[in-house]
Amino acid sequence: MFKYFLGHSPNWFKFTMIAFLILNVLFYFTLGPATTAWIFIAEFIFTLAMALKCYPLQSGGLLAIEALALNLTTPEHAYHEVEANLEVVLLLVFMVAGIFFMKPLLMYIFSKVFTRIKSKMLLSVLFVAISAVLSAFLDALTVTAVLISVTAGFYGIYHKIHSSAGDYDESGVLDRKELSGETLEDFRSFLRSLVMHGVVGTALGGVCTLVGEPQNLLIGEKMGWDFIEFFRRMAPVTIPVFFCGLVTTVFLELTGLFGYGGKLPDVARGIIENYTQEMDEKMTSKDKYGLWVQAISAILLIIGLALHLAPVGFIGLGLIIIQTAFMGITEEHSLGKAFEEALPFTGLLVVFFVIVAMIHDQHLFSPIIEWALAVDISQQPMVFYAANGILSMISDNVFVATVYIGEMQQVFEAGKITREHYDNLAIAINTGTNLPSVATPNGQAAFLFLLTSAIAPLINLSYLKMVKMAFPYTIVLGGVGLLCIKLFVG
């Protein structure tokens, strides 16, 4: 039983999880529900940090089941959290699968970009900027799914050459030898830094608009702001933060600090260029037709998301139907592969909502909200920004924003604050939950999606490495955001 419990995870991790499950019962009866709930949060964060040892769905899921068994929350309340985030669940199930069928087009475009742009710094800035612009009009998770697909596809090309007996650069040395050892580590470092720049870009763009992140839509609805007004009100904070984010990207690539600065090895570039050129020459009329179908589908996707013709998940399902119908992919097992990437993460997200429901039921954030409201009114926007930022590093930023904006609405309706002050607090809540939350994968669903994706272990991207690489961005985004709140809001 112990041998098969949590599969191939190290024994120390198995013992730790068993200890958690036993001690939690003792904590519940000796320390009380609220303290035990905080311990559950710490344990759940630990399971996320150990994602490369054991996928968190199992280890975190056992904790979630125990939280339900101890009545720290109820299945009904957990279901309510899922219900409130159904659009995110549908997005993961259908949009990620839709992007799967677009992989050949993405690989065709990005392999050209990767090999033509020689400057790693320019490539990094491009990744941040494009991810930010796309996230502002589409959705951070969708953009992250594209980033993961591109990175996985590019790694796949490298692996395919590495495991073959070819010599694409005609150097007289087999490619597998040239691409091993240090070259492989450099290539992983190159991909790791690029994908991290890209995923930070999704946060930079996501905070700007009504549709960038799920909590933006929620706050916009409560405040009665349309797309333009939301952008205008956030701009004094988000625009300076965006440009400071780009400066940070340049600084990190120049200095090579915090795990950035990895370049595409010249030998790898030459081999990949020759390989992609050979693949282009071998492209059949069916392959070219497929690229056209995918390109037209991509245009339809951007139009559908930008104009919000339907919920994001529905647009993703439409994308699957159009691509598979016109490309002739009609076998059930061929369709099933597209859903393999996202469904484990969807399961993990539902487990996460159980923990969120527990936080809500045990009123763990209430003392912090009461403290923030007791502060001098001129300091409140800064305090709310900081409180939301810190809590978003621990919990889901959508949940934190939901709790805070709901509490503020009640305070405003009770006549305790003016409309102008209510507006300022809403700006602080939105920017506070979006910017400092890049610190850990807990706060941003896009970061958690990347951490638990199939590409993370291939490029050695662990929880701690992600936290380390996000640290400079956390300081800059969080700090500049706080300064802008102090200078321009309130």
Side-chain angles (χ1 to χ4, degrees):
M1 186 176 173
F2 183 79
K3 181 185 173 183
Y4 295 116
F5 177 67
L6 297 182
H8 297 294
S9 305
N11 283 351
W12 66 264
F13 182 78
K14 296 183 182 186
F15 281 121
T16 304
M17 286 308 303
I18 291 167
F20 283 168
L21 296 169
I22 294 168
L23 290 172
N24 286 341
V25 179
L26 299 175
F27 291 146
Y28 179 78
F29 290 108
T30 54
L31 303 175
T35 308
T36 307
W38 278 112
I39 293 168
F40 265 98
I41 292 171
E43 291 169 352
F44 189 74
I45 291 170
F46 170 79
T47 65
L48 295 178
M50 295 294 113
L52 298 186
K53 304 287 183 193
C54 174
Y55 192 73
L57 177 61
Q58 285 73 36
S59 48
L62 288 170
L63 292 173
I65 291 168
E66 189 175 39
L68 288 166
L70 292 173
N71 206 32
L72 293 172
T73 187
T74 64
E76 291 74 28
H77 291 170
Y79 179 75
H80 175 70
E81 291 296 336
V82 174
E83 201 173 30
N85 290 278
L86 183 61
E87 198 165 330
V88 178
V89 173
L90 288 176
L91 182 153
L92 282 167
V93 173
F94 295 124
M95 184 59 78
V96 177
I99 298 295
F100 174 87
F101 292 109
M102 221 179 265
K103 265 186 184 173
L105 176 69
L106 292 171
M107 283 317 304
Y108 182 79
I109 295 168
F110 277 92
S111 60
K112 298 284 179 283
V113 171
F114 268 95
T115 49
R116 299 275 163 83
I117 298 177
K118 303 286 191 265
S119 165
K120 170 70 187 310
M121 189 193 296
L122 179 60
L123 200 59
S124 300
V125 171
L126 203 65
F127 257 62
V128 175
I130 291 172
S131 297
V133 171
L134 287 175
S135 294
F137 294 98
L138 309 181
D139 177 271
L141 274 171
T142 306
V143 177
T144 306
V146 171
L147 285 170
I148 290 168
S149 286
V150 168
T151 312
F154 211 56
Y155 187 87
I157 290 174
Y158 190 98
H159 181 70
K160 196 177 285 182
I161 301 168
H162 185 247
S163 56
S164 71
D167 182 22
Y168 287 99
D169 60 351
E170 298 174 353
S171 62
V173 181
L174 286 179
D175 292 336
R176 71 168 67 156
K177 284 192 176 179
E178 291 183 274
L179 296 182
S180 297
E182 199 177 321
T183 310
L184 177 58
E185 285 311 309
D186 289 346
F187 183 70
R188 281 174 170 158
S189 174
F190 168 77
L191 286 184
R192 200 164 52 232
S193 58
L194 267 187
V195 79
M196 278 302 292
H197 285 313
V199 83
V200 168
T202 66
L204 285 170
V207 66
C208 294
T209 64
L210 189 65
V211 298
E213 295 276 357
Q215 69 265 34
N216 299 17
L217 202 57
L218 180 87
I219 291 168
E221 282 175 4
K222 295 251 191 226
M223 305 306 294
W225 296 339
D226 60 16
F227 191 92
I228 302 297
E229 189 176 1
F230 187 96
F231 178 79
R232 184 178 61 78
R233 286 186 179 275
M234 296 299 156
V237 180
T238 56
I239 301 303
V241 166
F242 172 71
F243 286 107
C244 288
L246 291 181
V247 171
T248 307
T249 304
V250 173
F251 172 77
L252 290 170
E253 284 303 318
L254 279 173
T255 59
L257 293 170
F258 297 98
Y260 290 97
K263 291 179 171 55
L264 180 61
D266 289 334
V267 62
R269 185 191 297 278
I271 291 168
I272 289 168
E273 275 178 2
N274 292 345
Y275 175 82
T276 50
Q277 190 178 333
E278 189 177 308
M279 289 302 104
D280 288 350
E281 288 165 4
K282 286 182 179 177
M283 198 178 281
T284 63
S285 56
K286 182 186 177 184
D287 295 331
K288 289 175 183 174
Y289 167 72
L291 290 178
W292 276 108
V293 171
Q294 291 155 36
I296 292 164
S297 300
I299 293 165
L300 293 174
L301 168 68
I302 291 166
I303 292 169
L305 288 169
L307 299 178
H308 303 287
L309 301 178
V312 182
F314 283 17
I315 293 171
L317 181 57
L319 192 67
I320 294 169
I321 293 166
I322 289 168
Q323 288 183 106
T324 53
F326 285 94
M327 283 158 59
I329 303 168
T330 53
E331 295 81 15
E332 190 178 354
H333 68 89
S334 301
L335 292 169
K337 291 174 190 170
F339 292 91
E340 285 175 5
E341 175 72 24
L343 282 182
F345 179 69
T346 310
L348 175 60
L349 200 66
V350 173
V351 165
F352 190 60
F353 290 141
V354 175
I355 303 298
V356 168
M358 179 191 74
I359 293 171
H360 199 254
D361 284 0
Q362 297 304 320
H363 309 290
L364 299 186
F365 293 169
S366 297
I368 302 164
I369 295 171
E370 287 163 13
W371 166 74
L373 279 171
V375 174
D376 180 63
I377 201 160
S378 63
Q379 301 294 315
Q380 276 186 15
M382 287 173 65
V383 171
F384 268 73
Y385 175 90
N388 276 272
I390 292 163
L391 292 174
S392 293
M393 294 176 193
I394 302 166
S395 178
D396 173 46
N397 60 1
V398 179
F399 166 69
V400 175
T402 306
V403 171
Y404 265 84
I405 200 68
E407 294 280 342
M408 289 311 98
Q409 187 179 26
Q410 289 174 16
V411 172
F412 171 67
E413 287 171 355
K416 292 178 184 176
I417 54 173
T418 63
R419 174 69 203 201
E420 186 187 0
H421 189 59
Y422 183 33
D423 288 346
N424 290 338
L425 291 180
I427 295 167
I429 291 167
N430 184 67
T431 51
T433 51
N434 273 298
L435 297 173
S437 58
V438 299
T440 70
N442 308 35
Q444 293 263 1
F447 279 57
L448 190 61
F449 186 30
L450 174 61
L451 175 70
T452 56
S453 69
I455 192 62
L458 298 178
I459 58 172
N460 294 337
L461 186 61
S462 64
Y463 184 97
L464 292 176
K465 197 165 279 184
M466 192 179 261
V467 170
K468 176 192 166 186
M469 294 181 81
F471 181 73
Y473 281 113
T474 307
I475 298 299
V476 173
L477 271 55
V480 173
L482 185 63
L483 185 64
C484 291
I485 291 285
K486 181 181 169 70
L487 296 174
F488 306 123
V489 180

